[in-house]
Amino acid sequence: MTRYPRRDVAAIVDHTLLKPEATPADAAAAIAEAVDLGVYAVCLSPSMLPIDTGIVNTCAVAGFPSGKHHSLVKAAEARLAVDTGADEIDMVIDVGAAVDGRYDEVFADILTVREAIGREKILKVIIESAALLELSGPDAVTEVCRRAVTAGANYVKTSTGFHPLGGASVAAVELMRAAVGEDAEIKASGGIRTAEFAAALIDAGATRLGLSASRTVLDGFAD
């Protein structure tokens, strides 16, 4: 068991269903589980909206999972998601632009989505931290996080969970927290399957967790 109470961890969980083969029935089941677990939000593909998520918040992705969409396409996707019920948007940056050091393009991409959804909605920016660390090093993570904050991101997020180079890590979360300070929150996602790993990410500075195995993870925390 970890020292974090289960209810407190559940309150920062985005229960996630982003499999490409997911059906409306799968989405309905994910929502029912999210409500049962008492998590903060359910995170779905935008094509699942509009949908009644009951008492939990609704999160949708944009530019997912590659980030290689035109900024205007990401913006339109995000705006449509908001118009059909999303409270929060998790957008994917153009990772290649970041790897190449084209940080102004990353900034413009994020700003385009922010302007499309307005300032009242939560914007989380997925940076694919494992890929950036592997291909460019820690300075790229730091620079992208800082640009994201300047562009209006509320959160920087580690991963889509779909990149072959990996998902969340304690080292990435620590680096991201150092980069943004108190100016933004941190969402850790990708490969979080145990309570011990979840607790380590929270210790490192994560303030939201993206989980698909939410029940398994939460069962590792004491009531």
Side-chain angles (χ1 to χ4, degrees):
M1 296 292 184
T2 70
R3 67 185 180 280
Y4 294 106
R6 177 187 173 122
R7 64 183 178 277
D8 291 350
V9 178
I12 64 167
V13 167
D14 291 352
H15 184 52
T16 303
L17 176 67
L18 295 170
K19 294 179 179 179
E21 69 272 20
T23 66
D26 293 328
I31 291 166
E33 185 171 28
V35 172
D36 181 58
L37 292 171
V39 300
Y40 180 81
V42 61
C43 186
L44 302 170
S45 300
S47 60
M48 295 294 185
L49 305 181
I51 192 168
D52 182 5
T53 57
I55 61 173
V56 296
N57 294 288
T58 304
C59 171
V61 293
F64 196 89
S66 71
K68 303 301 284 189
H69 309 63
H70 193 287
S71 296
L72 293 177
V73 173
K74 293 181 191 178
E77 184 177 36
R79 181 70 245 180
L80 181 58
V82 165
D83 288 345
T84 52
D87 303 295
E88 304 184 351
I89 296 295
D90 289 23
M91 68 163 287
V92 188
I93 66 165
D94 181 340
V95 181
V99 168
D100 206 30
R102 291 180 279 122
Y103 302 121
D104 287 346
E105 293 181 24
V106 175
F107 168 81
D109 189 41
I110 299 165
L111 183 62
T112 300
V113 174
R114 167 48 82 194
E115 291 180 340
I117 67 172
R119 294 284 168 175
E120 70 280 6
K121 298 296 183 179
I122 296 295
L123 177 62
K124 308 190 203 87
V125 175
I126 306 171
I127 70 168
E128 290 293 18
S129 55
L132 290 186
L133 286 170
E134 176 72 19
L135 300 174
S136 292
D139 287 349
V141 172
T142 298
E143 189 63 31
V144 168
C145 287
R146 290 175 176 169
R147 296 297 179 100
V149 171
T150 304
N154 303 102
Y155 284 76
V156 285
K157 175 179 171 181
T158 59
S159 325
T160 61
F162 284 73
H163 201 286
L165 288 177
S169 69
V170 168
V173 171
E174 290 175 340
L175 184 61
M176 293 162 71
R177 174 53 70 198
V180 303
E182 299 303 315
D183 294 330
E185 305 294 337
I186 309 292
K187 178 175 174 179
S189 65
I192 307 170
R193 299 184 181 90
T194 68
E196 290 73 21
F197 187 31
L201 293 166
I202 296 170
D203 288 342
T207 51
R208 191 82 69 89
L209 301 174
L211 307 176
S212 56
S214 303
R215 188 177 298 278
T216 298
V217 172
L218 290 173
D219 280 349
F221 292 91
D223 291 330

